């Protein structure tokens, strides 16, 4: 987005943006997925009001976006992104992939560890330095407006409670098990328990080996290790045994993350078991990219549409699995369209040329939706159409702007 100095200085904290003429507001709460009303008011970097906004409040806004009857959803949160440094992935040798993900409706990315950094260190000092550096770099860098929660400590032999406390004191809060130089999965039981007790949010590679040098982690291993999140429980790319999906949903508190770069059949099985055992709040949708499976700017949208079209789930529930469920699991202030939350909003619509007349029906049909606008931290990053999806059938446009900006992406 093109920005001017007056915009940055004068509107950094007080810019007001109104979104009017919304056809439907999806809350991000899977139990109560639809919020009545047709408008959203953003003030600074937070949502000020959702649903009913007065005409005066809309007219007094600095920017007014006419949604044209499209659907408003919380900004999508991808909880499995292998970031490195900057908007670059050496895994696919690509620059600008996070900018492209933003055009897929992703407003927040969470590091699944900086495992693809060339020459990645494996000694305690090295893994600590890598996590702290990544965390601090992305505190000062928001690619195209996307928020990146970086710096996931890769659990390696030799790390101690003192090491965990040291990185926590420097702002690191994520830890990843599954790529360390351990001899067996059982070694992770103590490591994950100690890291978790120290205050780190623990995640675990689950399923078959994904790259040379790694090894499988079975459903039985997962239950014994007991992380807070089972990464790509449906396979990264190889899935664990079917019988464990019900066990994890029924008998544990582990969050079940399914990924686009995994097994679609077991992703659906996982969703069904989560719903059956009233554990859908722990069901998360992510991508597990960039990896050998590639770069997937529309990965979250495709997984939502695939599960919705092949199984008995409402689209709004599945949108929550990539928004509110993730936010609640990770303790984020985004993921919901409600007052006080981060002002991350995406407008979606039926794609031009499709057979359905609205975004949710298109996704239920197995089609991708059109992304018509993305707003992060209260700032429109583009309005009109995404560079990665078909155009919307409705006209989504800026009808007023006191800011010198076209918001055309």
């Amino acid at each position: 987005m093109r920005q001017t100095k007056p915009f940055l200085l004068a509107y950094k904290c007080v810019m007001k943006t109104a979104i009017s003429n919304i056809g439907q507001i999806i809350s991000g709460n899977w139990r109560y997925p639809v919020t009545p009303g047709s408008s959203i008011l953003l003030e600074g970097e937070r949502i000020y009001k959702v649903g009913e906004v007065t005409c005066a409040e809309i007219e007094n806004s600095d920017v007014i976006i006419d949604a044209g009857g499209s659907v408003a959803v919380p900004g999508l949160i991808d909880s499995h992104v292998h970031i490195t440094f900057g908007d670059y992935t050496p895994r696919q040798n690509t620059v600008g992939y996070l900018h492209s993900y933003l055009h897929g409706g992703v407003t927040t990315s969470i590091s699944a560890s900086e495992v693809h950094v060339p020459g990645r260190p494996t000694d305690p000092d090295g893994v600590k330095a890598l996590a702290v550096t990544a965390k601090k770099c992305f505190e000062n860098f928001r690619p195209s407006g996307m928020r990146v929660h970086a710096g996931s400590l890769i659990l390696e032999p030799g790390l101690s409670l003192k090491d965990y406390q040291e990185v926590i004191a420097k702002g690191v809060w994520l830890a990843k098990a599954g790529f360390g130089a351990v001899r067996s999965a059982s070694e992770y039981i103590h490591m994950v328990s100690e890291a978790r007790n120290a205050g780190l949010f623990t995640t675990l590679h689950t399923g078959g080996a994904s790259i040379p040098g790694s090894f499988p982690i079975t459903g039985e291993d997962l239950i014994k290790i007991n992380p807070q999140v089972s990464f790509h429980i449906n396979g990264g790319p190889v899935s664990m045994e079917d019988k464990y999906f019900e066990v994890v949903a029924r008998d544990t508190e582990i969050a079940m993350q399914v990924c686009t770069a995994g097994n679609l059949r077991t992703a659906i099985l996982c969703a069904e078991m989560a719903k059956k055992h009233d554990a859908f709040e722990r069901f998360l949708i992510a991508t597990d990219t960039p990896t050998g499976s590639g770069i997937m700017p529309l990965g979250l949208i495709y997984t939502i549409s695939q599960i919705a079209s092949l199984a008995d789930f409402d689209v709004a529930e599945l949108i929550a699995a990539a928004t509110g469920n993730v936010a609640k699991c990770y303790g984020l202030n985004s993921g919901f369209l409600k007052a006080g939350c981060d002002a991350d909003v995406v407008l979606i619509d039926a794609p031009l040329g499709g057979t359905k007349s609205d975004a949710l029906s298109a996704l239920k049909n197995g089609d991708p939706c059109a992304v018509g606008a993305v707003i992060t931290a209260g700032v429109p990053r583009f309005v009109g159409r995404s560079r990665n999806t078909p155009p919307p059938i409705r006209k989504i446009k800026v009808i007023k702007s006191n800011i010198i900006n076209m918001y055309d992406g």
Side-chain angles (χ1 to χ4, degrees):
M1 189 184 76
R2 296 185 298 276
Q3 295 179 332
T4 63
K5 284 187 177 179
F7 169 83
L8 292 172
L9 295 176
Y11 291 96
K12 183 177 180 181
C13 297
V14 298
M15 176 177 171
K16 293 183 180 180
T17 298
I19 310 170
S20 63
N21 195 20
I22 300 170
Q24 196 169 31
I25 299 173
I26 304 303
S27 68
N29 182 338
W30 78 272
R31 293 188 187 275
Y32 307 98
V34 179
T35 298
S38 60
S39 302
I40 299 173
L41 185 62
L42 315 174
E43 186 169 337
E45 296 190 7
R46 301 285 183 266
I47 297 172
Y48 183 74
K49 188 177 289 189
V50 176
E52 300 301 330
V53 180
T54 67
C55 292
E57 288 173 320
I58 293 173
E59 291 170 0
N60 289 332
S61 298
D62 301 295
V63 176
I64 303 174
I65 299 170
D66 183 346
S70 63
V71 176
V73 303
L76 302 180
I77 306 170
D78 191 342
S79 57
H80 200 122
V81 182
H82 284 293
I83 56 128
T84 54
F85 293 102
D87 196 355
Y88 168 70
T89 169
R91 185 71 171 158
Q92 294 292 339
N93 197 27
T94 300
V95 175
Y97 79 98
L98 290 171
H99 172 72
S100 198
Y101 279 44
L102 184 114
H103 277 254
V106 180
T107 60
T108 300
S109 291
I110 303 176
S111 172
S113 80
E114 290 71 27
V115 71
H116 297 308
V117 169
R120 178 182 74 82
T122 59
D123 62 290
D125 285 342
V127 293
K128 287 189 297 180
L130 178 60
V132 171
T133 302
K135 171 70 168 64
K136 291 189 177 296
C137 282
F138 278 96
E139 285 177 353
N140 301 306
F141 176 52
R142 293 189 61 169
S144 300
M146 177 187 293
R147 180 183 289 103
V148 178
H149 294 284
S152 181
L153 180 71
I154 301 170
L155 298 184
E156 293 280 8
L159 287 168
S160 66
L161 177 61
K162 182 179 178 182
D163 293 317
Y164 301 141
Q165 293 170 337
E166 179 184 336
V167 295
I168 289 171
K170 295 178 180 179
V172 173
W173 58 284
L174 298 167
K176 162 77 173 290
F179 278 95
V182 301
R183 290 164 295 182
S184 67
S186 62
E187 292 184 45
Y188 282 126
I189 296 174
H190 173 72
M191 295 172 71
V192 167
S193 176
E194 189 173 49
R196 186 170 179 172
N197 289 336
L200 287 167
F201 187 88
T202 56
T203 62
L204 176 69
H205 171 100
T206 308
S210 59
I211 61 174
S214 64
F215 53 82
I217 293 179
T218 67
E220 184 178 359
D221 293 329
L222 168 64
I223 293 166
K224 290 179 179 178
I225 295 169
N226 191 34
Q228 277 139 307
V229 178
S230 169
F231 270 170
H232 47 61
I233 196 170
N234 66 318
V238 182
S239 185
M240 69 179 189
E241 194 175 355
D242 284 8
K243 67 180 182 181
Y244 287 104
F245 287 95
E246 182 159 28
V247 176
V248 173
R250 182 190 62 213
D251 299 339
T252 80
E253 294 300 320
I254 300 169
M256 300 161 284
Q257 180 200 79
V258 302
C259 289
T260 308
N263 183 318
L264 177 58
R265 181 187 65 81
T266 56
I268 294 172
L269 173 61
C270 184
E272 290 172 340
M273 291 301 100
K275 196 74 176 290
K276 176 182 176 181
H277 294 288
D278 196 29
F280 196 77
E281 192 170 77
R282 291 189 279 122
F283 179 72
L284 316 179
I285 294 176
T287 65
D288 184 15
T289 58
T291 57
S293 298
I295 294 169
M296 300 181 183
L298 302 181
L300 295 179
I301 289 173
Y302 275 119
T303 300
I304 290 168
S305 68
Q306 288 163 353
I307 296 175
S309 62
L310 296 173
D312 185 21
F313 287 94
D314 290 336
V315 172
E317 291 179 324
L318 295 170
I319 289 173
T323 57
N325 286 8
V326 185
K328 190 163 186 178
C329 177
Y330 280 80
L332 307 181
N333 192 44
S334 54
F336 296 95
L337 293 185
K338 66 178 182 180
C341 285
D342 294 337
D344 297 344
V345 186
V346 176
L347 298 179
I348 60 175
D349 195 19
L352 184 66
T355 61
K356 302 301 177 181
S357 60
D358 64 85
L360 303 190
S361 298
L363 290 166
K364 187 65 177 176
N365 193 52
D367 296 324
C369 61
V371 177
V374 170
I375 300 158
T376 72
V379 179
R381 305 300 171 174
F382 68 85
V383 176
R385 61 168 294 180
S386 162
R387 74 178 197 179
N388 288 334
T389 68
I393 61 174
R394 293 169 173 81
K395 184 70 173 177
I396 300 170
K397 59 186 178 181
V398 176
I399 59 173
K400 172 191 171 182
S401 179
N402 293 334
I403 315 303
I404 304 172
N405 201 308
M406 293 297 291
Y407 302 118
D408 57 5

